[in-house]
Amino acid sequence: MELAARKQTSQPILRMAKIGSIGKTPVSLRWILVTAGGILASLSLLNALARRRASQDRSVKRGRLATRLTRVDGRTMHARVSVDAVPDGRLPVVLVHGLGMSSRYMIPLARHLAPHFRVYAPDLPGFGLSDKPRRTLTVRELADALASWMQRIGVERAAFVGNSLGCEVLVELALVHPQLVDRLVLQGPTPDPEARNLVRQVVGFFAIAPFERWSLAWVALADYARSGIRRYILTLRSMVDNRIAEKVLRVMQPTLVVWGTRDHIVPHAFVVSLAGSLPHGRLAVIPGAAHGINYSHPEAFITVLLPFLLAAGGDACRPEPNSGGEHCGGGLTDRSAFADTA
């Protein structure tokens, strides 16, 4: 009797335990479903944002580039050249890279310009995939090499866009070979006369790093490795010794100076002074951009460039309507501001 009673009493308890465990299961499943739903919703949102960004990127028309090797004065110069058809009658645009860099650094800007112009982006001798002369060339010699390359490929006259060291080369080109230069764009021109020493220039390079695209670091390291540290330092010394602020007084071509508000290599006061010293110069400021605008902020750069490059003759240096700037014929500047693209 006792055994039978125990069996009878134990069975309800067992059933209650099973019912209790079953009752807890929906709660656990609910949390699993909520968590999984949150994860799926997050992934769906990220996927939608990625698709939207990709569609925006596709909506911006970009050109194609091809490699070109040219033998000039016993050296081979490498260049990237656009291959898409462009409207007739437009001047070609030549892009000149900065210290230690190469035409690879100019690719984002070149691709944005290519639908509008025939674009050339050479590697200056000693840099990128161009031949490396034993002796490091000075700023003047780099300008002469650029002129010889242009004549060799049959470009009689062009608009030029330079970054950093490229600005110094282009100012020299405009003075020594003025027949080749229709107009100039000096983006992040160096060096500031008040920072005419190697240490301050190098510190500036590190200061801008957080404000550039991270991929620029890999491009720079690869280019620096190709040119070598010795050539880098010797070219930097030639830059520091170059008196660009004095030379621009004699540049007669329309010139646009472009500066980013996060460019800690080139002070704002210097670019204002430089643009004001140019007989036909103006200044455009891009908020949020640093020193490598051609690489990190090509969309904002194009907004500045197209009106200047497409303007006819003397209108190239005239500010846009309602921009608050003044006609540049007297060496005045136009501080055009654009949306923060950081």
Side-chain angles (χ1 to χ4, degrees):
M1 294 289 295
E2 280 183 26
L3 183 59
R6 285 178 184 176
K7 287 183 179 179
Q8 290 176 357
T9 56
S10 63
Q11 287 176 357
I13 293 174
L14 182 61
R15 285 197 296 271
M16 288 177 64
K18 288 181 180 179
I19 293 172
S21 64
I22 293 171
K24 291 180 181 179
T25 301
V27 176
S28 300
L29 286 174
R30 192 180 302 120
W31 279 108
I32 292 171
L33 292 173
V34 169
T35 303
I39 293 172
L40 290 174
S42 300
L43 290 174
S44 178
L45 178 61
L46 290 173
N47 187 42
L49 290 173
R51 288 182 178 179
R52 182 179 178 183
R53 181 173 296 178
S55 65
Q56 289 175 344
D57 289 342
R58 285 194 296 269
S59 66
V60 177
K61 189 176 181 182
R62 298 176 186 174
R64 297 170 298 155
L65 306 175
T67 293
R68 184 169 182 173
L69 298 175
T70 307
R71 195 73 177 167
V72 185
D73 297 334
R75 291 188 294 257
T76 298
M77 283 186 63
H78 169 268
R80 288 178 167 89
V81 182
S82 62
V83 297
D84 297 311
V86 297
D88 294 333
R90 291 188 179 178
L91 281 170
V93 178
V94 179
L95 310 180
V96 182
H97 60 80
L99 176 63
M101 305 298 285
S102 72
S103 59
R104 185 181 176 195
Y105 173 53
M106 309 301 285
I107 287 176
L109 178 60
R111 294 191 63 203
H112 279 76
L113 283 172
H116 309 281
F117 307 94
R118 178 76 163 170
V119 180
Y120 299 84
D123 294 347
L124 294 173
F127 301 98
L129 299 177
S130 290
D131 283 351
K132 313 293 186 295
R134 290 186 178 181
R135 183 178 61 82
T136 300
L137 303 185
T138 64
V139 171
R140 168 63 186 274
E141 290 170 328
L142 290 172
D144 290 339
L146 181 59
S148 297
W149 172 78
M150 286 184 63
Q151 292 165 1
R152 185 71 178 84
I153 65 173
V155 176
E156 297 179 355
R157 192 171 178 84
F160 292 84
V161 181
N163 166 264
S164 196
L165 166 66
C167 298
E168 298 188 52
V169 173
L170 293 184
V171 167
E172 200 74 24
L173 184 74
L175 295 177
V176 182
H177 305 279
Q179 74 282 1
L180 299 176
V181 182
D182 183 83
R183 62 195 69 186
L184 296 172
V185 178
L186 308 179
Q187 188 266 299
T190 53
D192 172 20
E194 302 301 322
R196 207 174 278 280
N197 66 75
L198 297 178
V199 174
R200 290 185 64 176
Q201 291 292 318
V202 172
V203 169
F205 278 107
F206 283 102
I208 63 170
F211 308 113
E212 303 284 10
R213 287 171 56 187
W214 286 107
S215 58
L216 178 55
W218 301 111
V219 173
L221 288 173
D223 282 345
Y224 293 163
R226 285 194 182 100
S227 60
I229 187 64
R230 182 177 179 276
R231 190 180 306 276
Y232 181 96
I233 293 173
L234 292 176
T235 307
L236 180 57
R237 285 178 178 170
S238 179
M239 285 176 59
V240 170
D241 292 338
N242 190 44
R243 305 285 174 174
I244 187 175
E246 300 171 8
K247 293 179 178 180
V248 296
L249 295 169
R250 297 181 283 120
V251 173
M252 293 296 109
Q253 294 88 342
T255 304
L256 176 67
V257 179
V258 182
W259 179 76
T261 56
R262 289 176 173 172
D263 189 345
H264 300 301
I265 295 177
V266 184
H268 177 247
F270 173 60
V271 292
V272 170
S273 174
L274 196 72
S277 299
L278 284 155
H280 302 282
R282 60 176 285 205
L283 171 65
V285 176
I286 301 180
H291 193 61
I293 299 176
N294 53 280
Y295 188 88
S296 298
H297 296 83
E299 294 86 0
F301 202 179
I302 281 290
T303 304
V304 177
L305 286 178
L306 287 181
F308 178 76
L309 295 175
L310 292 172
D315 293 333
C317 59
R318 190 184 299 276
E320 292 298 297
N322 304 319
S323 67
E326 303 178 62
H327 191 278
C328 59
L332 299 177
T333 61
D334 166 36
R335 294 193 59 219
S336 303
F338 298 87
D340 191 337
T341 55

